Amino acid sequence: MDRGLPEAGAETDGAAPPLPLARRLQTGAGRAAHALRGAGKAALGLVLPPTCVSCGAIVHEAGGLCGACWRRLAFIERPYCERLGIPFAFEQVALDPEPRLSPQAVMDPPAFDRARAAVLFGDIARDLVHGLKYGDRLDMAAPMARLMARAAGDLLAEADLIVPVPLHPLRLWRRRFNQAALLARRLSKASGVPCRTDVLVRARATSSQVSLSRAERRANVAGAFKVPPQQVHHVTGRRILIVDDVLTTGATLDACAQALRYGKATHIDAVTFARVVEAG
């Protein structure tokens, strides 16, 4: 009786049958390549150790912050305005232990439904935003997006589509990338919510918002965004999450939300890495 192979239907001792030679060679090659990549990464780490994405101090893992910079980030936690995401002052919480809306949200409600941000715009947040936006530090998108996902977990859980604030084609050509799109793609990868960069476009070029007042910002971006007719079906009836790097007055997010409302989106939220909170 041939004892080389079990008969058809016979039970074995539970050990997997030997792999064909070609498969064994392929598996061995894959393991060797993985080991080489790991060794190369370790060697590179010895020569160029990972550094803090803000101050450049040596850290344990690439793409992170050192302890000192981490402690200087002002994370936005509840209680905050459920509409605008603005943290409540101690005095407001003392008067109402469960405040829901800020005076700004009641007196001047935005076009979007809810906004969230990971941190307040301070020194470290500015370093990260400017490094990504102007310093070609694309590696900063990953840690920033992780914090954004943490801040907007409830919004991501309800979203059907992630849409970044678009750049005008001329500005995109000059900058070579859209920082909002980088963050949006990272959020999409982390959450599984699809991301589209073609359903919202900047229909006209606008001036920089940096030195403009609140009223000037609104006028500057009014009507600047639109949903292309061929993309409306991706927006209609959907819950959209708009992504940007910083929320200052909310004028840009408002203009984007208005365009998406025109495209028949049913619910529009927004998330940014940082937000500016005006004093007083």
Side-chain angles (χ1 to χ4, degrees):
M1 180 177 180
D2 186 357
R3 303 178 61 87
L5 293 173
E7 296 181 11
E11 293 185 2
T12 67
D13 60 2
L19 293 173
L21 177 60
R23 180 73 178 275
R24 293 202 302 272
L25 291 174
Q26 183 180 15
T27 302
R31 289 173 179 169
H34 180 75
L36 286 173
R37 285 194 297 269
K41 186 176 181 181
L44 183 62
L46 293 174
V47 179
L48 298 172
T51 57
C52 171
V53 294
S54 177
C55 71
I58 295 176
V59 294
H60 176 69
E61 187 175 351
L65 291 167
C66 68
C69 290
W70 181 267
R71 289 189 293 272
R72 289 173 62 195
L73 277 177
F75 293 97
I76 298 177
E77 305 283 356
R78 281 189 168 90
Y80 50 64
C81 172
E82 294 297 325
R83 188 76 186 268
L84 297 177
I86 299 173
F88 288 114
F90 176 79
E91 293 80 4
Q92 291 173 290
V93 178
L95 291 174
D96 183 357
E98 295 185 357
R100 291 288 181 263
L101 295 178
S102 62
Q104 299 96 312
V106 175
M107 297 172 63
D108 187 19
F112 49 83
D113 293 287
R114 296 174 295 179
R116 300 287 184 267
V119 298
L120 295 177
F121 191 75
D123 291 342
I124 301 300
R126 180 174 53 247
D127 288 345
L128 296 176
V129 169
H130 286 186
L132 173 63
K133 195 170 184 175
Y134 306 118
D136 288 347
R137 289 293 306 274
L138 307 190
D139 57 309
M140 292 183 174
M144 291 167 67
R146 284 198 296 269
L147 295 178
M148 292 166 68
R150 173 180 175 270
D154 53 341
L155 276 57
L156 281 165
E158 299 174 7
D160 297 316
L161 190 65
I162 295 174
V163 175
V165 171
L167 290 178
H168 187 269
L170 181 59
R171 184 167 294 179
L172 180 60
W173 177 77
R174 288 173 177 168
R175 191 177 293 170
R176 305 188 308 280
F177 66 92
N178 177 2
Q179 75 281 355
L182 293 177
L183 295 170
R185 292 190 184 101
R186 289 284 184 175
L187 282 172
S188 175
K189 184 177 180 180
S191 65
V193 180
C195 171
R196 294 193 69 101
T197 60
D198 57 351
V199 301
L200 185 65
V201 299
R202 194 176 291 246
R204 62 176 177 82
T206 56
S207 304
S208 171
Q209 300 270 77
V210 173
S211 60
L212 302 182
S213 67
R214 179 182 294 269
E216 290 170 337
R217 285 171 181 256
R218 287 186 175 180
N220 187 43
V221 295
F225 304 95
K226 70 175 183 179
V227 177
Q230 66 272 23
Q231 303 296 344
V232 169
H233 67 283
H234 291 298
V235 172
T236 301
R238 299 292 187 89
R239 298 177 67 94
I240 308 293
L241 179 62
I242 309 172
V243 174
D244 205 1
D245 53 353
V246 180
L247 191 163
T248 305
T249 64
T252 298
L253 294 178
D254 251 24
C256 290
Q258 288 166 6
L260 292 168
R261 295 275 185 211
Y262 189 76
K264 301 294 191 298
T266 58
H267 188 95
I268 302 167
D269 292 325
V271 60
T272 61
F273 171 68
R275 75 158 298 137
V276 176
V277 175
E278 298 174 357

